[in-house]
Amino acid sequence: MDDDEREALTAVCADLPALRAEISLHSSERSQLLGRIEAEAAARRPILRLLAELLGTSPEGTRQTLSAGLPGVGTGRADEESFVCPDGACGRAAKALPAGPAPMCWVSGQPM
């Protein structure tokens, strides 16, 4: 997986719950497109072109957008414990409450 695809997967993994909430306010076509993005991400296939379609940008524009975060979604909460992608496919690091449950990967459903 190249660096651009890894960055795209990291952004989707980090913000998937908020992205789902945002997309639920839009058309069913956009929801279906997000479903395709999730399926491709779970299979560890490229998602940058699909993400560009979802955001209405070019793949290059999407790469630039990702550096500022996905539109419509916010950041997570910071705390003392940090967890990473279960298979190292993306660079997501999730924060959790100390001694609390491990966060789950929003794409694969596996604990981080």
Side-chain angles (χ1 to χ4, degrees):
M1 183 176 291
D2 70 24
D3 288 344
D4 291 335
E5 287 293 341
R6 184 175 168 83
E7 183 180 346
L9 182 58
T10 299
V12 169
C13 286
D15 293 327
L16 191 54
L19 187 56
R20 286 176 179 155
E22 175 66 24
I23 292 301
S24 73
L25 304 173
H26 296 271
S27 69
S28 62
E29 290 82 17
R30 289 177 63 85
S31 293
Q32 291 171 354
L33 181 54
L34 179 59
R36 287 179 46 211
I37 291 169
E38 289 185 50
E40 293 301 300
R44 302 307 194 226
R45 291 188 291 260
I47 61 169
L48 192 56
R49 285 195 176 279
L50 291 171
L51 195 55
E53 186 178 337
L54 183 72
L55 299 176
T57 62
S58 67
E60 181 59 35
T62 299
R63 285 195 259 321
Q64 292 171 353
T65 298
L66 292 176
S67 65
L70 289 170
V73 298
T75 59
R77 65 176 192 266
D79 223 322
E80 294 180 22
E81 293 185 84
S82 182
F83 297 82
V84 296
C85 180
D87 64 4
C90 81
R92 178 181 174 213
K95 304 293 182 179
L97 295 173
M104 301 298 285
C105 171
W106 296 115
V107 173
S108 71
Q110 298 176 348
M112 295 179 73

